Amino acid sequence: MDPDAVELEARFTTDEIAEAVRRIAAEISRDHEGQVPLLVGVLKGCFVFLADLVRELTVPCEVDFIRARSYGRGTTSSGAIEITKDVETDLTGRHVVVVEDIEDTGLTMDVVVDRIRSGHPASVRRCALLVREGIGGTLPDYLGMEVGPGFVVGYGIDYAERFRELTDIHAVRGT
Ligand code: IMP
Ligand code: MG
């Protein structure tokens, strides 16, 4: 589908997103009292969420990034995931929070968490702004909202690299 031709349907407003971000930040701060957690954002979709999240924390933190790519450019994930940019921080003994935009199958998160664990952190927790309804397995430790069917965009999340700049979250009609 041509990104210039897609129609968008509203899913979450800036107010709903901001409320979820504040709640998640409070939970992360509570769980990391007295610590300096390392927030590892999964590029590129995390960049708006992570920027808002760190500014709501009440504990000091550090930030790093990892990039995972699933092959293909469409709206479905192929299941084959490679890490194309690794973290640069020494993870030994760190309290890590992996920050994702959306978990669909959860495969990307699993691959990233495995990679983080191999660096011998003290703890690894998972954070996702959105999780697809009916996702199998365990939910992330920190979760914003569940989202129904439909490919979502906005608030950093893209369709074919477009729509990241939108402040609300929308679904692409017909997906
Ligand atoms: P998963 O590995 O199936 O959980 O998919 C994870 C990655 O696919 C996420 O990091 C997103 O970047 C991307 N993704 C999954 N669903 C959507 C969506 O609805 N819109 C945009 N990107 C998505
Ligand atoms: Mg992503």
Side-chain angles (χ1 to χ4, degrees), residues 155-173:
Y155 198 67
I157 306 170
D158 76 303
Y159 169 65
E161 293 303 327
R162 297 279 299 278
F163 308 116
R164 294 190 195 274
E165 73 281 11
L166 301 180
T167 54
D168 292 2
I169 294 176
H170 310 258
V172 174
R173 186 163 291 164

Side-chain angles (χ1 to χ4, degrees), residues 1 12 19 26 32 38 43 45 52 55 60 65 67 70 84-85 125 143 145 153:
M1 219 186 295
F12 300 104
E19 192 186 318
H32 296 83
L38 173 68
L43 291 170
D52 283 344
R55 287 178 288 176
F65 295 97
R67 183 153 188 205
S70 76
T84 55
K85 183 225 168 293
R125 290 187 176 94
L143 164 60
M145 283 101 42
V153 297

Side-chain angles (χ1 to χ4, degrees), residues 26-41:
E27 292 169 3
I28 293 175
S29 300
R30 178 202 62 205
D31 291 348
H32 296 83
E33 197 62 57
Q35 300 168 348
V36 182
L38 173 68
L39 273 63
V40 174

Side-chain angles (χ1 to χ4, degrees), residues 106-117:
L107 278 172
T108 302
M109 181 63 97
D110 287 347
V111 168
V112 169
V113 165
D114 280 352
R115 165 66 198 102
I116 298 291
R117 280 198 206 291

Side-chain angles (χ1 to χ4, degrees), residues 2-113:
D2 178 358
D4 288 313
V6 303
E7 286 179 60
L8 302 180
E9 294 169 6
R11 281 289 182 275
F12 300 104
T13 65
T14 50
D15 285 350
E16 291 171 310
I17 298 165
E19 192 186 318
V21 170
R22 278 194 296 270
R23 176 174 47 77
I24 292 171
E27 292 169 3
I28 293 175
S29 300
R30 178 202 62 205
D31 291 348
H32 296 83
E33 197 62 57
Q35 300 168 348
V36 182
L38 173 68
L39 273 63
V40 174
V42 182
L43 291 170
K44 303 182 218 175
C46 72
F47 79 108
V48 177
F49 175 38
L50 186 58
D52 283 344
L53 186 61
V54 293
R55 287 178 288 176
E56 295 288 343
L57 293 177
T58 57
V59 292
C61 72
E62 292 179 19
V63 171
D64 201 346
F65 295 97
I66 195 165
R67 183 153 188 205
R69 183 177 63 188
S70 76
Y71 298 96
R73 184 189 147 96
T75 56
T76 50
S77 138
S78 65
I81 290 149
E82 63 170 344
I83 288 178
T84 55
K85 183 225 168 293
D86 207 346
V87 290
E88 292 163 22
T89 310
D90 180 1
L91 300 175
T92 315
R94 297 303 304 265
H95 295 280
V96 177
V97 180
V98 177
V99 179
E100 256 276 44
D101 50 359
I102 170 166
E103 277 194 44
D104 185 37
T105 62
L107 278 172
T108 302
M109 181 63 97
D110 287 347
V111 168
V112 169
V113 165

